[in-house]
């Protein structure tokens, strides 16, 4: 069955050869369900780890203040940003503007998480006189934050503000789409790399010799790392796949 | 200018709307050159790090025997496998069979690197009575090795042995292509995640407190990590991009 969506103003990239059969349905549901489960599992398991093994949160104790860092960073960079990216796969049949607004909303929600998550570790380190920005984790984290901020500002201006004068800015915005989408996936993958190095670092700091005795906490931390790596594979795969339910739009981003 | 390659037996996926203009040429050259530089830089910097800072290699000393591990793993999993994947972007105008054979050759070359690299750390740990398979690095490494072995066996049988009876096995092989390509990129990204956790672990083990004093060796190790993360972004991007030089084939794998 050929796809019968229309290429509205050249915004969508359409191919008659992309059919929506039983296998494609199965793949679509599998990818969306598995991605959603992993996105939620990453945050839930991190919250469980910090509360159960790391004694939860307390802003008056720098050690417990640190615990906000993994929870908010994984919540903001992975779960919220991940769902924000996945929206382009899930909400295929919604209006383009609604998908964009939801995408912006999810990313906007992740900003306070990232800012507070960063302040938590910065303040906690300073109080304990631990140096900042020396590790691979912090280097990758800085690059991720820079790219995320740039992406948000560029995305916000290109897609929402410039939408006010839609026709005049069409060419500029259509040039921005593949760049924004590529760097968006890159930022997500950078966040995953930052998170797994952070987990490894934390395991060695907190568990020390016990880490090599395969303690329960080590297994939980490794499991968070495996889930995050799984997300680093499935989310870019999900958003780049070119098939979609019949009668739905195929975004240019899928070609990237 | 419409692309004028032919869809030989449905093996290639062709679109008239994919044009090869000045911008596409620039992007093609940029991606290929940057990817190649990063792939070589990752191995060169790792060799430099192990020889200059970690006293090189010696099979009689378990500490120096360990040094084979990062060099061979990054050489095998990243540089050789990376070039093997990148071939599908570089050798667009070569015969499909030649690209496949070169792809198999590069991957075959990476196998001894991976096996010796694994044996080096296994033997080194056992001699020093350090436990194995407890860290996130080792967990991710095991998943990567399993996926790599499965990929090699499936790829080898599907694409080379079954080529003997080309027509009879066409449908099976064409089903295998997207699966093989997806899991290939996934294995590469898993290898990157494994490498950055390994580098973080090694930095904490070997440098200890000095790591936080931003020592020279720490900067070199962090730089290797940044290069590897860059590769984890640019290689999947390079192999998935749908544009290619005029008159050249566009492989189905680019749609994945």
């Amino acid at each position: 069955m050929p796809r019968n969506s229309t290429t509205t103003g050249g915004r969508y990239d359409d191919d008659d050869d992309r059919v929506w059969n039983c296998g494609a349905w199965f793949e679509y549901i599998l990818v969306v369900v598995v991605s959603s489960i992993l996105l939620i599992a990453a945050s839930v398991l991190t919250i469980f780890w910090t509360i159960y093994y790391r004694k939860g949160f307390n802003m008056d104790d720098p050690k417990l203040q640190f615990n906000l860092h993994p929870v908010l960073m994984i919540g903001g960079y992975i779960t919220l940003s991940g769902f924000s990216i996945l929206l382009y796969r899930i909400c295929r049949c919604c209006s383009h503007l609604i998908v964009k607004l939801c995408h912006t909303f999810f990313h906007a929600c992740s900003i306070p998480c990232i800012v507070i998550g960063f302040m938590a570790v910065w303040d906690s380190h300073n109080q304990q006189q631990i140096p900042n920005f020396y590790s691979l984790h912090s280097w990758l984290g800085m690059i991720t934050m820079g790219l995320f901020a740039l992406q948000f500002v560029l995305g916000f201006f290109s897609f929402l503000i410039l939408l006010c004068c839609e026709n005049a800015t069409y060419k500029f915005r259509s040039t921005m789409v593949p760049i924004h989408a590529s760097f968006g996936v890159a930022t997500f993958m950078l966040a995953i790399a930052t998170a797994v190095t952070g987990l490894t670092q934390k395991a060695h700091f907190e568990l020390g010799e016990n880490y090599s005795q395969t303690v329960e906490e080590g297994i939980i931390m490794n499991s968070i790392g495996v889930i995050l790596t799984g997300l680093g594979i499935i989310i870019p795969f999900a958003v780049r796949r070119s098939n979609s339910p019949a009668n739905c739009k195929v975004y240019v981003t899928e070609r990237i």
Side-chain angles (χ1 to χ4, degrees), chain A residues 36-52:
Chain A
S36 305
I37 290 172
L38 290 182
L39 284 171
I40 294 165
S43 271
V44 169
L45 209 56
T46 310
I47 293 169
F48 168 74
W49 164 56
T50 43
I51 292 176
Y52 193 79

Side-chain angles (χ1 to χ4, degrees), chain A residues 58-132:
Chain A
N58 185 346
M59 293 302 279
D60 299 325
D61 181 340
K63 278 215 156 208
L64 302 188
Q65 183 185 331
F66 176 91
N67 293 345
L68 279 173
H69 178 66
V71 169
L72 291 176
M73 286 308 202
I74 289 180
Y77 270 127
I78 312 296
T79 305
L80 285 173
S81 296
F83 271 118
S84 183
I85 294 172
L86 203 62
L87 276 177
Y88 280 90
R89 176 96 173 148
I90 299 174
C91 305
R92 221 24 93 65
C93 299
C94 303
S95 134
H96 195 59
L97 189 66
I98 290 175
V99 177
K100 275 182 182 177
L101 284 170
C102 291
H103 180 73
T104 312
F105 174 76
F106 270 96
H107 267 110
C109 287
S110 70
I111 292 177
C113 294
I114 293 167
V115 172
I116 302 170
F118 174 74
M119 295 306 291
V121 70
W122 176 262
D123 196 48
S124 164
H125 275 188
N126 288 349
Q127 283 188 53
Q128 295 175 86
Q129 296 185 321
I130 297 170
N132 291 298

Side-chain angles (χ1 to χ4, degrees), chain A residues 139-172:
Chain A
W139 284 31
L140 293 178
M142 278 196 291
I143 303 172
T144 314
M145 282 204 287
L147 211 58
F148 185 90
L150 197 73
Q151 275 286 96
F152 190 82
V153 172
L154 279 180
F156 193 78
F157 278 95
S158 321
F159 295 101
L160 291 178
I161 309 274
L162 295 178
L163 210 66
C164 305
C165 40
E166 188 162 359
N167 292 330
T169 60
Y170 172 73
K171 205 173 155 57
F172 171 72

Side-chain angles (χ1 to χ4, degrees), chain A residues 135-213:
Chain A
S135 64
L136 177 57
H137 171 68
S138 58
W139 284 31
L140 293 178
M142 278 196 291
I143 303 172
T144 314
M145 282 204 287
L147 211 58
F148 185 90
L150 197 73
Q151 275 286 96
F152 190 82
V153 172
L154 279 180
F156 193 78
F157 278 95
S158 321
F159 295 101
L160 291 178
I161 309 274
L162 295 178
L163 210 66
C164 305
C165 40
E166 188 162 359
N167 292 330
T169 60
Y170 172 73
K171 205 173 155 57
F172 171 72
R173 286 183 294 112
S174 68
T175 312
M176 284 301 295
V177 169
I179 299 169
H180 180 75
S182 292
F183 278 98
V185 172
T187 311
F188 186 77
M189 278 153 70
L190 263 169
I192 303 279
T194 310
V196 290
T197 53
L199 279 166
T200 300
Q201 198 165 292
K202 186 72 180 167
H204 283 279
F205 275 139
E206 297 293 342
L207 303 176
E209 280 294 307
N210 287 334
Y211 191 31
S212 61
Q213 307 308 313

Side-chain angles (χ1 to χ4, degrees), chain A residues 28-40:
Chain A
Y28 173 80
I29 292 167
L30 191 74
V31 164
V32 168
V33 170
V34 171
S35 302
S36 305
I37 290 172
L38 290 182
L39 284 171
I40 294 165

